[in-house]
Every structure is written in structure tokens, then in C-alpha cells.
């Protein structure tokens, strides 16, 4: 959950999620899972108060989003929704993200390198161009905004830049991420200046 992310690291607080979905995608029949039924019925009053339950009373025990068990073991980047700037945390495949955490997986990019790009001011600029700014200057780091960040193909990234991105990703230092990402995007000194002024706003 968002509250489990502290200074770029995951410190799990012990929360879990019950998967009410069958492998085919529909909700399981509680009559086939008596222990699950007993547990859910004991909390039915609270569960039924949720918006998703009121919208579809027959499916009162469904989660807001469908649960995909395979995601648990996948390496991924986790990004809390509302923040002043992106907190991009690497999970090697130990946790399932709560619905207010966005996650990024990739079959092409190395996630540690991608972590550096998403931590940089360039990504912050992309998101702030589309996101509504919330009270206190916070942005919504939602999927529709994160998808607008443009990346070169990993296969086109020179080896020296790959290495620098990988090193920067694990550090979480915005200044270091900015420098190597500027190299990735081949920014001119003038464009770097724009990024520096932007980060100070």
C-alpha cells in the first residue's frame, strides 16, 4: 500500500488482499468456499458499504479491481498515485500492489534503468503537462499520464547509457537520474537549463 513506501523502499505493514475471482475472471461462488464465505459474511456490513458493492449488490464481495495472481511474482515498479513528485519503487516480485499504487512491468526495458527515467524531472514534466495539479502542488501519477512518457527502445540505448541508467535507478537521487536521463534524451545545455528551472518550481 502507499503507506508501506518509505524513502524509496517498501516496508510492508502486513496488509493483504483476498482474491474473490476464479481463474476465468468471474467471482467465485461462495458456496464452494465455505471458509471464505464465513469470513466474508462476518465482515459483510463493512464490505457492503463500499461504492463497488453498492453499485452491484449481487457482487458485494468483489474487489475494486480484478486480482491477477501472476502479478505478485513479477518484478515491477510501484508508483503512488498522488505525490509532489514520483516515488518510483522497485519490487523484485514480493508484493501485490494496492489499487492506489500504479505498477509498471516491461518485457523490454530493464526496470532499474526505467526507474531512473521515471524518477527524473523529464518524466515529472510529462506528467505535469497532463495531470491536474491538486492542492499543495501534488500531481496524479495515474496510468493514463504515465503512458504518455516517451521512451526510446531499450535495444537502441547505447551500452554506456544503459549502465549509467542502471546505476542511477537504484540510488533514487533525482539529480543523478536527471543527468543520465538528459544523456538518454540527448538534451542540449539549453534544454537541461529548462529542466533545472522546472525542477525548482
Amino acid at each position: 500500500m502507499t503507506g508501506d513506501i518509505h524513502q524509496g523502499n517498501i516496508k510492508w505493514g502486513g496488509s493483504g488482499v483476498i482474491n474473490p475471482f476464479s481463474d476465468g475472471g468471474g467471482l467465485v461462488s461462495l458456496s464452494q468456499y465455505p471458509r471464505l464465505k464465513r469470513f466474508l459474511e462476518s465482515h459483510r456490513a463493512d464490505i457492503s458499504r463500499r461504492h463497488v458493492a453498492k453499485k452491484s449488490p449481487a457482487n458485494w464481495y468483489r474487489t475494486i479491481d480484478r486480482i491477477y495472481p501472476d502479478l505478485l511474482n513479477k518484478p515491477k515498479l510501484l508508483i503512488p498515485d498522488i505525490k509532489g513528485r514520483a516515488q518510483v519503487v522497485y519490487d523484485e516480485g514480493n508484493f501485490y500492489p494496492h489499487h492506489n499504487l500504479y505498477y509498471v512491468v516491461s518485457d523490454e526495458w530493464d526496470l532499474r534503468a526505467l526507474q531512473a527515467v521515471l524518477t527524473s524531472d523529464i518524466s515529472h514534466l510529462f506528467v505535469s503537462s497532463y495531470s491536474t495539479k491538486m492542492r499543495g502542488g501534488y500531481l496524479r501519477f495515474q496510468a493514463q499520464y504515465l503512458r504518455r512518457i516517451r521512451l526510446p527502445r531499450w535495444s537502441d540505448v547505447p551500452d554506456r547509457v544503459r549502465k549509467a541508467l542502471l546505476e542511477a535507478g537504484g540510488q533514487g537521487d533525482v539529480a543523478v537520474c536527471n543527468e543520465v536521463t538528459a544523456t538518454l534524451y540527448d538534451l542540449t545545455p539549453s534544454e537541461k537549463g529548462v529542466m533545472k528551472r522546472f525542477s525548482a518550481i
Side-chain angles (χ1 to χ4, degrees):
M1 300 177 75
T2 297
D4 299 329
I5 292 178
H6 302 275
Q7 299 178 338
N9 295 300
I10 300 171
K11 295 182 180 177
W12 184 48
S15 296
V17 63
I18 293 173
N19 180 13
F21 295 93
S22 66
D23 291 341
L27 288 173
V28 298
S29 171
L30 293 182
S31 63
Q32 294 180 334
Y33 295 89
R35 291 173 62 194
L36 175 61
K37 180 179 181 179
R38 195 162 52 246
F39 177 81
L40 292 176
E41 288 286 1
S42 71
H43 297 279
R44 184 164 186 159
D46 290 330
I47 295 171
S48 295
R49 286 192 197 103
R50 301 170 309 135
H51 174 72
V52 69
K54 290 177 180 176
K55 194 167 75 171
S56 182
N59 297 329
W60 62 274
Y61 55 95
R62 72 158 289 147
T63 51
I64 291 174
D65 298 314
R66 184 179 162 190
I67 305 294
Y68 295 94
D70 289 349
L71 178 60
L72 172 65
N73 299 314
K74 278 188 175 183
K76 52 197 164 289
L77 299 176
L78 303 175
I79 306 171
D81 181 359
I82 303 174
K83 288 290 178 182
R85 66 173 306 116
Q87 286 190 28
V88 186
V89 179
Y90 178 77
D91 168 29
E92 62 186 15
N94 295 319
F95 300 99
Y96 194 91
H98 187 254
H99 65 84
N100 65 0
L101 277 173
Y102 290 94
Y103 65 89
V104 177
V105 295
S106 178
D107 294 326
E108 181 180 346
W109 266 72
D110 185 294
L111 289 178
R112 281 295 191 183
L114 189 54
Q115 183 180 23
V117 177
L118 294 177
T119 300
S120 75
D121 285 335
I122 289 178
S123 292
H124 188 82
L125 179 59
F126 269 106
V127 172
S128 67
S129 297
Y130 299 103
S131 171
T132 301
K133 191 167 280 192
M134 313 282 284
R135 181 183 296 175
Y138 292 110
L139 297 173
R140 303 290 310 265
F141 288 89
Q142 296 178 308
Q144 64 262 38
Y145 307 134
L146 294 169
R147 286 191 193 105
R148 292 182 179 269
I149 298 170
R150 294 292 165 250
L151 294 166
R153 291 193 175 280
W154 181 243
S155 57
D156 294 335
V157 178
D159 287 343
R160 62 182 179 81
V161 179
R162 287 188 185 193
K163 183 179 178 183
L165 285 167
L166 288 167
E167 291 175 357
Q171 295 179 35
D173 186 317
V174 176
V176 173
C177 292
N178 283 343
E179 193 59 38
V180 67
T181 304
T183 302
L184 173 71
Y185 286 95
D186 198 23
L187 298 186
T188 65
S190 174
E191 289 166 337
K192 285 184 184 180
V194 171
M195 286 291 101
K196 189 172 183 180
R197 289 194 297 276
F198 171 78
S199 66
I201 295 174

